[in-house]
Amino acid sequence: MYIGRFAPSPTGELHFGSLLAALASFLDAKSNNGLWLLRIDDIDPPREMPGASQRIIQSLSDYGLQWDKEVIFQSERQHLYNDALQKLILANLAYPCFCSRKDIKQRSGNGFYDGYCRKTDNSAINLESTIPLAQNHAWRFKSADNQITWQDGILGEQSCEFPDLADFVVLRRDKLWAYQLAVTVDDYLMGITHIVRGNDLLHESAKQLTLIEALNYSTIHYSHIPLITHADGQKLSKQNHAPALNADNACKDLLKALSFLGQNVPSSLKTANKHEILQSAIINWQPQAIPKNNISINS
Ligand code: GLU
């Protein structure tokens, strides 16, 4: 069975770029008779905006993007990430890292991790007394892959290699769980089979595939949609103040998002309500029509 998801971080409200990702993943799941789950990736409090989680949930509802099952909050699942890290440590696939960002930059020049702390032999680590959360260092994943190739649902064959695949942090020194580990663990436990999201996460997918392999999880089918950019090529994002979605424009925005996704939008939908628009979009969904390249909002 197809199980898809949308997993926003509550660092701000949803904007038109997020709508595109939510809509594409929703339509892909629904047109495959699948489930579409909602998870709030709230494990990085310093980057979060108070109230954003509830506003994101409200926005999705206002746009008719109804998720299945209960909303999942990553902040309530930290014990699961801890279990996964313990599993990696036991398999000698994670090691403590004491390097600062400055150390790494000085050594490698480009900010990619050079494996300096990799030599740690985990057999000397007494797991009973070594609770990862109590340590004053980061934990890194020991990547076994120098290169990984996979088939993207929209972009076709993709590959990623070292140094983009360099050993990445799974638990930060400040004891916050890294995005990579939390997402991989949750996607697996939620039974996610398909992920449709923006192409800014293409390299993240490669890293997640290496973790999936290391943790013996079932693999996921990824599809990366184009990003909406400003005229200068910059991604429309919360960081560069993309305006929040406004429920009053739901129908207009849905139609615009569908045409950005390369979908055929019958003119009869111009007067339709959001549910009719979404029903028609599910029936007529053509993932192969999604453009591969980023799209300027001014186009
Ligand atoms: N939570 C992440 C974000 O909002 C992305 C989640 C994902 O699709 O893996 O950027």
Side-chain angles (χ1 to χ4, degrees):
M1 167 157 200
Y2 183 122
I3 305 183
R5 51 76 156 171
F6 181 53
S9 303
T11 50
E13 296 186 45
L14 294 186
H15 52 77
F16 188 71
S18 0
L19 176 64
L20 217 66
L23 181 63
S25 62
F26 172 85
L27 294 175
D28 208 53
K30 293 295 156 182
S31 64
N32 281 289
N33 291 319
L35 296 176
W36 187 65
L37 309 185
L38 175 59
R39 185 181 73 227
I40 302 289
D41 288 355
D42 55 349
I43 37 154
D44 195 352
R47 288 186 57 234
E48 285 159 23
M49 183 181 110
S53 298
Q54 283 319 312
R55 279 196 231 144
I56 288 174
I57 293 171
Q58 185 61 48
S59 258
L60 290 171
S61 207
D62 291 342
Y63 276 69
L65 297 168
Q66 187 52 55
W67 56 92
D68 299 297
K69 302 197 182 172
E70 278 186 17
V71 183
I72 286 180
F73 291 87
Q74 284 197 324
S75 55
E76 294 166 3
R77 299 166 64 85
Q78 316 231 10
H79 57 290
L80 300 171
Y81 315 142
N82 197 38
D83 292 348
L85 175 55
Q86 295 280 2
K87 189 170 161 186
L88 289 174
I89 295 172
L90 275 173
N92 207 6
L93 287 171
Y95 58 89
C97 174
F98 297 85
C99 303
S100 67
R101 240 183 240 164
K102 196 166 141 217
D103 296 335
I104 299 169
K105 210 158 181 193
Q106 268 169 4
R107 284 200 309 263
S108 73
N110 55 11
F112 285 110
Y113 193 62
D114 57 354
Y116 187 81
C117 291
R118 227 181 203 255
K119 56 192 177 302
T120 313
D121 175 5
N122 285 346
S123 57
I125 297 175
N126 175 0
L127 274 178
E128 296 307 314
S129 63
T130 309
I131 312 299
L133 282 170
Q135 304 301 306
N136 181 29
H137 53 70
W139 285 89
R140 275 184 195 275
F141 170 57
K142 193 188 277 183
S143 175
D145 298 290
N146 279 329
Q147 204 219 6
I148 182 159
T149 304
W150 76 100
Q151 205 57 36
D152 185 274
I154 294 170
L155 302 173
E157 185 170 295
Q158 295 297 304
S159 80
C160 183
E161 51 198 46
F162 189 84
D164 286 322
L165 283 182
D167 294 353
F168 50 87
V169 168
V170 283
L171 177 63
R172 287 159 36 176
R173 188 199 287 257
D174 59 9
K175 300 303 146 233
L176 291 178
W177 292 101
Y179 158 77
Q180 301 295 0
L181 184 72
V183 163
T184 305
V185 169
D186 280 337
D187 286 336
Y188 169 67
L189 294 176
M190 291 161 71
I192 302 302
T193 58
H194 290 72
I195 293 181
V196 180
R197 60 186 178 189
N199 67 24
D200 52 332
L201 293 172
L202 200 57
H203 280 172
E204 310 310 319
S205 299
K207 292 181 196 166
Q208 283 156 35
L209 279 166
T210 63
L211 258 184
I212 286 173
E213 199 179 284
L215 286 161
N216 249 328
Y217 290 169
S218 15
T219 201
I220 291 181
H221 187 267
Y222 293 93
S223 297
H224 291 87
I225 64 165
L227 303 180
I228 303 284
T229 65
H230 293 289
D232 62 2
Q234 261 204 47
K235 175 191 164 193
L236 203 68
S237 70
K238 298 159 192 162
Q239 286 71 30
N240 59 30
H241 313 295
L245 293 177
N246 174 351
D248 293 342
N249 302 331
C251 293
K252 208 172 105 230
D253 286 348
L254 285 171
L255 293 175
K256 190 161 129 196
L258 284 171
S259 77
F260 273 121
L261 288 170
Q263 306 301 298
N264 197 3
V265 183
S267 56
S268 58
L269 286 185
K270 292 219 167 86
T271 51
N273 66 35
K274 61 189 177 197
H275 301 294
E276 292 162 343
I277 294 174
L278 290 171
Q279 266 322 307
S280 153
I282 292 169
I283 295 165
N284 297 304
W285 180 237
Q286 307 267 7
Q288 66 284 6
I290 299 174
K292 293 183 171 38
N293 298 323
N294 291 346
I295 310 158
S296 165
I297 190 90
N298 311 98
S299 61

